[in-house]
Amino acid sequence: MTGSPLTIDGDRLWRTLMELAEIGAYHDERTGLRGVNRLALTDADAEGRRLVIGWLREAGLDLRVDPMGNIIARRPGTDADAAPVVTGSHLDSVATAGAFDGCLGVLGGLEVVRTLDERGISTRRPIEVVVFTEEEGVRFGTDMLGSAVAAGRIPLAVAHDLIDRDGISVGAELTRTGFAGDGPARFDPPHAYVECHIEQGPVLARAGLSVGVVTGVQGISWQQVTITGRAAHAGTTPTELRADAGIAAARIVLRLREMVDCAGYGELRATVGHLAVHPDLTNIVPARAELTVDLRNPDDEQMARAEADLADYLDSLVGSGITVSTRRMARTAHVPFDARVQQVIAAAAGDHGLDQMSLLSGAGHDAQEMAAICPAAMIFVRGEYDGISHNPREYSTPEACARGIDVLATALVRLADE
Ligand code: HGY
Ligand code: MN
Ligand code: MN
């Protein structure tokens, strides 16, 4: 592999991570820690975007915002016509986030550009740093939204019409926050895409490693389930006269855990992250229940079977005044990453003297969308505290973050000189 290994300024990277984490910061009662809440296209997300745009512009990058609010910042190459090498991630967060999820990939890309400029290093291909919109999917209901539009899986108009729980649309929020860009919604196929992200799980830490080469992303299935029953008096209504939507919801939650524990669906993971009953009052039998089901599985066939068996179970709950409806929110199959880009990453890590391992991603990432239009792969950075994430306790050390971006810098330059 050509090009000597590049090391970035880990202190400067860390300062940008901590400064960005101040935006949308809140005191988390449960952990006593400072968490981050920058849901997509909220004022906090917009403020975080503006901070990073300022840094990208200071770094001399040519910057544009596309119709999905994706921010594309380009460092020119010596061959302006060459397809770029792209890196990046997301700045939007879940409501109980830490400082690293997505941010490490974006600010790591910025740090790579700053380092190349300091060293006077030019590359043949342009290098682009991208901020994708609504990667988390927790506000508008489907994850990797911005990158899915950029790669063509989701049409722009469909994305713009998605609404949050208050009925506010993506399109309206893009306009309100000033990120309704123009130009093409679809990316021209890059030469390659490499994203650095925290692992968000325990694997690297348990192996005693700082970085990992990501082989792909497991399948993701999100659906909303709505159960309707009948409101009734909690005191006067005998059991046989009840159509209790809350009981049906509880049965679904327990059934999902039984499906996971029975091990009949491979390495299935199931989560009911949202669960609400209506009218949500002490002395009224719930007339309606809403819940979301998040299924993950590395094996597409096992995932399909789990979905089918869950659908059969939902059907079995219908009757005696209970009805059940479902709405598909998100669905992506297992996505394998490009073997050659993985080798470039592994060689870069090796040239930095870093032991490494290959691992599948349990979380969804923008890289899985970019993999549809170009060779793509990821670098994982170990997380502490069992790699907990989507929790303010999320933490990766300054050293591990710096090592991950050292590998990113080295891999990007080598790919950009191909
Ligand atoms: O849901 C996920 O896996 C990612 O955090 N969007
Ligand atoms: Mn993420
Ligand atoms: Mn996340």
Side-chain angles (χ1 to χ4, degrees):
M1 296 290 174
T2 58
S4 52
L6 268 175
T7 52
I8 54 94
D9 182 335
D11 292 341
R12 181 172 57 194
L13 169 68
W14 189 258
R15 286 197 301 273
T16 56
L17 281 163
M18 293 305 110
E19 187 171 342
L20 176 58
E22 289 300 317
I23 297 178
Y26 73 97
H27 176 74
D28 189 84
E29 298 296 333
R30 281 147 298 202
T31 61
L33 300 170
R34 279 165 71 80
V36 172
N37 179 0
R38 287 199 306 268
L39 293 191
L41 299 176
T42 56
D43 291 343
D45 182 32
E47 188 185 342
R49 284 165 159 254
R50 286 192 291 271
L51 175 67
V52 173
I53 283 173
W55 289 335
L56 292 167
R57 288 208 162 106
E58 275 169 20
L61 299 184
D62 305 324
L63 190 139
R64 68 183 175 89
V65 178
D66 76 9
M68 200 40 227
N70 298 319
I71 301 162
I72 302 102
R74 170 176 281 211
R75 181 178 194 264
T78 56
D79 178 355
D81 299 328
V85 171
V86 179
T87 190
S89 192
H90 60 95
L91 297 177
D92 65 285
S93 79
V94 293
T96 55
F100 303 89
D101 182 353
C103 304
L104 177 61
V106 174
L107 298 177
L110 167 67
E111 179 53 36
V112 169
V113 167
R114 285 173 162 173
T115 300
L116 296 181
D117 287 350
E118 273 171 353
R119 308 278 171 79
I121 295 172
S122 59
T123 57
R124 182 172 88 82
R125 298 176 178 280
I127 290 176
E128 289 183 345
V129 180
V130 178
V131 178
F132 289 109
T133 302
E134 179 61 316
E135 185 279 342
E136 292 293 0
V138 290
R139 182 178 177 192
F140 294 102
T142 195
D143 55 357
M144 286 79 71
L145 182 61
S147 48
V149 171
R153 177 169 66 87
I154 295 179
L156 178 66
V158 169
H160 276 181
D161 289 346
L162 291 175
I163 57 173
D164 66 8
R165 286 181 186 164
D166 299 323
I168 302 170
S169 73
V170 168
E173 286 296 83
L174 284 168
T175 303
R176 183 183 68 83
T177 56
F179 286 99
D182 48 24
R186 302 269 303 260
F187 283 12
D188 292 332
H191 175 64
Y193 178 86
V194 184
E195 178 174 349
C196 183
H197 202 289
I198 53 170
E199 177 202 335
Q200 300 178 288
V203 176
L204 290 176
R206 286 178 181 167
L209 300 172
S210 293
V211 301
V213 183
V214 187
T215 59
V217 179
Q218 68 177 338
I220 301 173
S221 165
W222 287 5
Q223 58 183 309
Q224 182 176 35
V225 179
T226 302
I227 304 139
T228 52
R230 187 173 51 249
H233 195 297
T236 58
T237 313
T239 303
E240 67 273 16
L241 295 182
R242 293 184 181 211
D244 187 333
I247 294 285
R251 286 186 173 135
I252 294 168
V253 175
L254 292 175
R255 177 67 178 182
L256 285 165
R257 173 50 67 92
E258 288 161 7
M259 290 173 68
V260 169
D261 292 347
C262 80
Y265 304 92
E267 295 168 59
L268 176 70
R269 289 179 178 157
T271 309
V272 174
H274 168 66
L275 174 57
V277 294
H278 305 275
D280 196 16
L281 297 172
T282 305
N283 59 358
I284 305 177
V285 173
R288 194 174 85 250
E290 288 169 6
L291 56 92
T292 56
V293 177
D294 176 326
L295 302 178
R296 308 287 173 115
N297 203 311
D299 182 299
D300 289 335
E301 190 273 327
Q302 304 268 28
M303 173 73 98
R305 269 189 330 100
E307 289 177 317
D309 289 356
L310 176 61
D312 290 346
Y313 182 72
L314 298 182
D315 287 347
S316 74
L317 298 174
V318 174
S320 309
I322 293 288
T323 63
V324 179
S325 66
T326 60
R327 178 178 68 84
R328 167 64 65 197
M329 297 168 67
R331 183 66 169 87
T332 49
H334 164 259
V335 174
F337 284 146
D338 180 83
R340 196 182 70 79
V341 176
Q342 289 181 57
Q343 281 165 357
V344 173
I345 293 169
D351 290 349
H352 278 284
L354 294 170
D355 291 334
Q356 65 202 264
M357 64 183 288
S358 292
L359 69 166
L360 183 72
S361 177
H365 296 288
D366 294 310
Q368 72 185 86
E369 300 299 331
M370 294 299 285
I373 59 172
C374 73
M378 294 180 74
I379 303 156
F380 267 175
V381 164
R382 72 181 273 168
E384 307 302 324
Y385 313 114
D386 281 332
I388 190 167
S389 184
H390 288 188
N391 181 303
R393 193 167 296 282
E394 174 188 275
Y395 186 76
S396 288
T397 63
E399 296 72 28
C401 290
R403 297 298 73 76
I405 304 305
D406 285 345
V407 175
L408 179 69
T410 306
L412 289 177
V413 169
R414 290 175 176 174
L415 289 165
D417 279 338
E418 291 181 335

